[in-house]
Amino acid sequence: MLFLDKLELDRRLRLLRRELGFKGVSEELRGWSFDSPPVEPPSRSLLFSVSELAGRYCASMRDIYLKRVLGVKAPASAKTARGVVLHNVNREMLLTIKKLLFSGDVQCGFELIEAVAPLAAVLVEKALLYADHMFSEVSGEVKAKLKDEALAFCKFLAVQAAARLDQALSKHPNSDVDSLVSITVPPIAERKIDGSLIGLSRELSVDVYTPFNAVADLKTGEEREFHPYALAGYALALEAEEGVPVDYGFIVYVKFPGPVPSFKVKCFVIGDELRREFIEIRDEAHEVVSASRDPGKPLNCPSYCPYHPVCRGGSVEKTRDKRAGNIPVS
């Protein structure tokens, strides 16, 4: 991962392996046990994305009811726009770097930075355009700040990749381009997974899938205690699809305190407790939707919940998705 140096990653994995040795992971909670409870889903015709299950802003799951039963979309916000833009930049920047390396036009780190520099601004503009529908509620000042952050993110990724390229060339001067690419950038960014065997979407997207039996999720907002659920969802889906264990997860929080982004990485063993809690969330969400049951507002309704304006502002009708049926709103 470009967000962690290899030595740091090796240290963290060593500690996680020790923790896994104590805890282990029960066979019944591996994704490949998709044909028997508890991993077997209540239905494979009702599929959820990992984000809508793992994003437990709403403790009562009224967000699931509003979205899936009433067809109400969460209003766009500066936070959601920021997440979309930075994820887009991360994916496209890594893809651009790989294309440049495979083209053979770049022979060293300095040449990589020179080649990427003029592309970064174009890439950021495309990312902003991609999220343009979210900017109606975002001020021009916020959009300008997001543009600066996205450019800083691009530059950081380019410099990190350039340094790794030079290190690889210095250590392995006779490497072919395929080997150099595998060392310089993450093997797979935004890996697609079919999660339907365990009741998840057919097109899940993991931010980073590593060869260390690990997945990584990039977060652009504040830390939340429910964030590790996403790691459990992706691990279960990968295990179901590929039949290989995914034991470790990293959540990478990106901040912009200055011109250089700052990263905080939290590491987890994706053990039994986390897997069980995610599966329970999936099953409860299925029950809410299949019974069209409004679970009501939670006692603690956090202001940062994407559906807070809907539940507290009474604007259900204004935000109803036009594709939804004409279901009465209670």
Side-chain angles (χ1 to χ4, degrees):
M1 285 187 287
L2 292 175
F3 315 114
L4 276 179
D5 66 57
K6 190 175 183 307
L7 180 59
E8 178 67 12
L9 187 61
D10 288 344
R11 287 173 177 163
R12 290 172 183 257
L13 282 169
R14 184 174 175 179
L15 293 174
L16 290 175
R17 288 190 187 103
R18 183 181 299 175
E19 184 180 342
L20 178 67
F22 288 120
K23 289 183 175 179
V25 177
S26 299
E27 187 71 11
E28 65 172 7
L29 292 171
R30 290 290 193 183
W32 54 71
S33 298
F34 54 79
D35 56 350
S36 59
V39 176
E40 184 179 20
S43 166
R44 292 193 176 88
S45 59
L46 177 57
L47 305 178
F48 295 94
S49 70
V50 166
S51 60
E52 66 182 322
L53 295 180
R56 283 299 90 233
Y57 297 93
C58 178
S60 71
M61 288 200 178
R62 193 163 195 257
D63 57 332
I64 299 284
Y65 170 76
L66 290 171
K67 178 181 178 182
R68 291 300 191 114
V69 179
L70 298 189
V72 177
K73 293 193 294 186
S77 69
K79 288 183 179 179
T80 53
R82 187 170 185 265
V84 168
V85 169
L86 293 181
H87 274 83
N88 192 302
V89 163
N90 178 58
R91 180 186 66 247
E92 294 301 319
M93 191 65 178
L94 296 181
L95 186 59
T96 298
I97 290 169
K98 284 185 179 179
K99 285 180 179 177
L100 286 169
L101 294 177
F102 276 121
S103 72
D105 296 334
V106 169
Q107 302 297 323
C108 66
F110 182 73
E111 290 183 4
L112 177 61
I113 292 176
E114 284 194 317
V116 166
L119 302 176
V122 176
L123 193 149
V124 169
E125 288 297 335
K126 285 185 177 178
L128 291 169
L129 185 62
Y130 179 78
D132 190 57
H133 64 287
M134 297 182 175
F135 288 121
S136 59
E137 304 295 329
V138 176
S139 70
E141 183 180 356
V142 171
K143 186 175 180 180
K145 182 183 178 186
L146 177 55
K147 183 177 180 178
D148 290 342
E149 291 178 347
L151 279 170
F153 198 23
C154 280
K155 293 173 184 173
F156 176 85
L157 292 173
V159 170
Q160 297 301 307
R164 295 207 177 196
L165 175 60
D166 280 354
Q167 287 171 355
L169 286 168
S170 177
K171 188 174 181 178
H172 309 289
N174 298 317
S175 296
D176 58 31
V177 65
D178 195 39
S179 179
L180 287 174
V181 170
S182 69
I183 297 171
T184 303
V185 292
I188 304 172
E190 298 219 353
R191 162 68 190 277
K192 297 296 181 186
I193 318 168
D194 180 355
S196 60
L197 286 173
I198 58 169
L200 301 179
S201 167
R202 298 183 191 280
E203 289 222 13
L204 300 176
S205 187
V206 181
D207 285 343
V208 179
Y209 178 40
T210 80
F212 310 108
N213 300 82
V215 291
D217 200 26
L218 182 66
K219 297 294 184 186
T220 59
E222 294 82 4
E223 294 180 34
R224 305 293 179 200
E225 62 180 9
F226 50 76
H227 283 164
Y229 289 141
L231 301 176
Y234 291 130
L236 286 164
L238 276 164
E239 289 175 348
E241 186 173 70
E242 299 201 341
V244 297
V246 180
D247 297 322
Y248 313 113
F250 304 96
I251 298 179
V252 184
Y253 294 95
V254 57
K255 307 287 184 185
F256 292 88
V260 177
S262 171
F263 296 91
K264 179 179 179 180
V265 182
K266 299 186 77 171
C267 308
F268 301 88
V269 168
I270 305 175
D272 286 3
E273 183 178 0
L274 196 56
R275 291 165 184 261
R276 283 191 186 280
E277 289 177 0
F278 179 82
I279 291 169
E280 288 171 4
I281 291 171
R282 179 201 64 186
D283 293 350
E284 186 177 346
H286 182 276
E287 196 277 330
V288 166
V289 176
S290 59
S292 298
R293 175 178 62 84
D294 184 352
K297 301 172 188 175
L299 292 177
N300 180 19
C301 194
S303 60
Y304 52 80
C305 174
Y307 278 94
H308 187 272
V310 179
C311 289
R312 299 301 175 182
S315 56
V316 169
E317 289 293 350
K318 293 180 181 178
T319 53
R320 186 192 292 276
D321 188 333
K322 294 179 180 178
R323 294 169 298 180
N326 185 24
I327 304 170
V329 180
S330 57

